[in-house]
Amino acid sequence: EEVTNDKSQVYRPHDYKQFRPSRFTQVFEFKKEEECLYLYLHPTDRHSMEPGTWSFDTDTNLITIKDVDGTEIYFITVLILEKDQLVMTRN
């Protein structure tokens, strides 16, 4: 969801409402057992959901996402977590 403060990003459940079309919308699917899928932005527009793992540090509210090779690819700080919204900043 587009917001005026470009340092934070708002994510909603997939069935929350209709959003206007955009060129690229980042998607994360957090699953149990620290598994996840994330939308990979391919340089030739062949975007795909890629598997990875995630962990959450409760002291810092930091989510770390790693690809299948164990390379850390996202560091995300959770600012707000509610039923219909997740606000976070990518570090």
Side-chain angles (χ1 to χ4, degrees), residues 25-79:
T25 301
Q26 181 56 276
V27 176
F28 297 103
E29 290 183 19
F30 297 103
K31 300 180 178 210
K32 294 180 181 180
E33 306 299 326
E34 298 183 344
E35 293 179 6
C36 68
L37 294 171
Y38 60 91
L39 186 57
Y40 171 67
L41 177 57
H42 194 276
T44 61
D45 288 338
R46 292 183 299 138
H47 313 318
S48 61
M49 293 300 288
E50 296 292 323
T53 59
W54 67 279
S55 61
F56 180 67
D57 184 327
T58 56
D59 293 331
T60 61
N61 287 344
L62 181 69
I63 297 171
T64 302
I65 298 177
K66 297 179 182 180
D67 65 14
V68 293
D69 296 325
T71 302
E72 296 173 334
I73 54 173
Y74 290 105
F75 298 95
I76 302 166
T77 301
V78 175
L79 303 175

